[in-house]
Each structure stands twice: as structure tokens, then as C-alpha cells.
Amino acid sequence: MSDVPSIQLNNGRPIPQLGFGVFLVPPEDTVTAVAEALRAGYRHIDTAEMYGNEKEVGRAIAESGLHRDDVYITSKLNNGHHLPDDARRAFDETLAALGVEAIDLFLIHWPLPTRYGGDFISTWKTLEEFYRDGRARSIGVSNFHAHHLNRLFAETDVMPAVNQIEVHPYLVQDELRAFCAEHQIAVEAWSPLGRGAVLNDPTIQAIASRLEKTTAQVVLRWHIERGDIVFPKSMRPARMAENFDIFDFSLTSDDIAAISALDRGERVGPDPETFDRV
Ligand code: NAD
């Protein structure tokens, strides 16, 4: 089984660079999907209260026989719970649903700049409480732009360990990634395969056929070599195994440049500046 590299976060804690995402995995299928992913070797699961499957993620991990600390678990604060008391209650519920005393990483899912009077600062300060009391081993944000992060830097104490943002070959996000790197914030690339949209791209197909790999493997390898953390989602065991099997080859710098040049600024998900669904 291949070894997944770890990235060291800005608080010194390691995170496996490759994990398994469970967005849109229905709760009734989640125990089976996560159990299969753990069997395939994944040791990092990315869930969220919004996904409605934290309980099933917790159950699959508990039933796997693995030690709790051998599986890295991330979850996220749902959009309706940004007020401090709501965030405290929601965090308690996340820990209870997962069946853990502490979570490895807890994120603000969306900045929601048009809600709560634009106040994600008091939300972040509430996550700092969870970090200080040890129930969140690391805390971070998701879908934050540089100007959102600048407000956190100016008004709060703890630097986010990660920023989880949409990144794939059609949305390479080099400016925001460079900003995060400058501030020692690790980037997690969500929808790393563009939800499948990039997998028939001729440039990626040509590289894949030269390397005798699949296009999904080439795209995931591109993320890994750029230094981002990824957690592709698939319900199919064969694809889970394929997406995990990316550590026995490498891309040339020309391959990486050619894939990065596919950027179209094209999102598959919502724009964080306007997204306001609670
Ligand atoms: P993804 O880019 O991982 O694509 C998933 C889809 O790609 C699957 O449904 C499947 O159809 C296809 N696929 C997967 N492996 C394949 C393979 N080997 N060959 C062919 N097709 C394949 O998209 P995603 O699920 O949106 O993103 C991954 C994870 O990122 C999510 O599960 C979730 O954990 C996280 N996420 C976070 C946010 C956020 O706002 N923070 C938003 C979306 C996703």
C-alpha cells in the first residue's frame, strides 16, 4: 500500500495530504463508502454538518477497528450556526455525531459575507475557544478570500491552519494559493476533479496516456505536486482505489505547467462572495 505524505500545519500538527470526501454521499450509503475507503487505505475523512452524514462517518470509523488517532477527521460549522452560542451547540453536536472527544480539524464552512452583518469574526473567535480547550486539534476556514483572511489576521489571535477552497485545472486559484502560502495557511483543494468536468480534457488525456495512468490520477497528482491537500469523492471502490494509487509516478514540470495553463476561472460550486444559503 502506498504511503500518503503528510503536510505539517502551522501549529505543527500533521495532516495526510490525500483523504476521502463525503459530500453528496447519502447517509444510508456513508457507512459502506467510508468503510470501503478505510479498507483502500485512506486515513483522512472530510465531512461537514451540512452533508448530513457525520454520524455515519463516525460509525464507520468506530467499526473499522482502527485506532481513533489513526484516522484524521475534518468537519465544518454549518451556515445557520455562525452566532457564538449556536456555534457552541453545533460543535457539541458534531463531536457527539462523530462519537469523538476531539476532532482533528474544524472549519467555518463559508464566510457568508452578506449574512450576520458580515461578522465571521465572532464565529472565528468561537472556534478559537474549541482550539484552546483541545476539542478541535486544529481550526481553519473554507471558501475564504484574501480580504476575508486579512480581517481575521487583524482582529483575531489564532491563524487558520487551512483554507479549504475550490481548486482544479479549470480554477487553479494561484493568487489565493500564493497568499495562503505567504501566511503559512495550508490549502485544501475541494472538488479536486472538478466533479468530473476536467477528466475528458485532451491535454490531461495526453499526459495520462503517456504515463499510462488515468486522467483522475494525473489530476490528483498535479494537486499533490503543487502541495495542496485533496480528498476526492467516489462511491465506487474501484475508483477509490484508483484515486489512492498516485504515489508511484510523478509529473514533469512541463506537465504541471500545461495542466495549470488550462485555467478558465470556472467554478463548479458557488461564489463565496455571494453564497448565502443557510
Ligand atoms: P470531486 O472533484 O472529488 O469529484 C467527485 C466526482 O468525480 C464523483 O462524484 C465521480 O462522479 C467523479 N470521480 C471520482 N473519482 C473518479 C475517477 N477515478 N474516475 C472518474 N470519475 C471519478 O468533487 P466533490 O465531491 O465535490 O469534492 C470532493 C470533496 O471536497 C467533497 O466530497 C467534500 O468533502 C469537499 N467539498 C468541500 C466544499 C466546501 O465548500 N468546503 C465544497 C464541495 C466539496
Side-chain angles (χ1 to χ4, degrees), residues 93-162:
E93 285 170 10
T94 281
L95 294 184
L98 288 165
V100 297
E101 286 176 4
I103 192 162
D104 296 283
L105 178 61
F106 193 64
L107 311 180
I108 298 182
H109 206 148
W110 289 88
L112 303 179
T114 64
R115 289 219 175 245
Y116 303 103
D119 174 22
F120 45 75
I121 299 297
S122 52
T123 315
W124 180 253
K125 288 183 173 169
T126 312
L127 264 65
E128 289 182 338
E129 292 172 14
F130 310 152
Y131 181 59
R132 291 205 179 92
D133 71 22
R135 292 183 304 151
R137 293 171 179 160
S138 298
I139 51 175
V141 294
S142 179
N143 300 301
F144 273 47
H145 286 165
H147 68 99
H148 304 129
L149 290 167
N150 275 328
R151 283 194 55 202
L152 291 189
F153 303 160
E155 299 175 54
T156 71
D157 296 330
V158 179
M159 286 291 278
V162 311

Side-chain angles (χ1 to χ4, degrees), residues 21-23 46 51 76 109-110 142-143 164 190-196 199 216 231-234 239 242-243:
V22 295
F23 177 46
D46 184 88
Y51 305 166
K76 316 184 190 86
H109 206 148
W110 289 88
S142 179
N143 300 301
Q164 184 177 125
W190 67 250
S191 293
L193 304 172
R195 300 209 180 122
L199 298 179
F231 20 79
K233 171 237 163 184
S234 177
R239 284 181 174 175
E242 173 187 328
N243 295 346

Side-chain angles (χ1 to χ4, degrees), residues 8 20 29 45 52 80 90 106 115 120 140 169 176 181 198 208-209 223 226 232 234 243 248 251 254 275:
Q8 187 166 306
F20 181 69
D29 298 325
I45 310 293
F106 193 64
R115 289 219 175 245
F120 45 75
L176 181 52
V198 302
S209 71
H223 286 286
R226 278 158 45 101
S234 177
N243 295 346
D248 65 347
L251 302 174
D254 284 352
F275 186 63

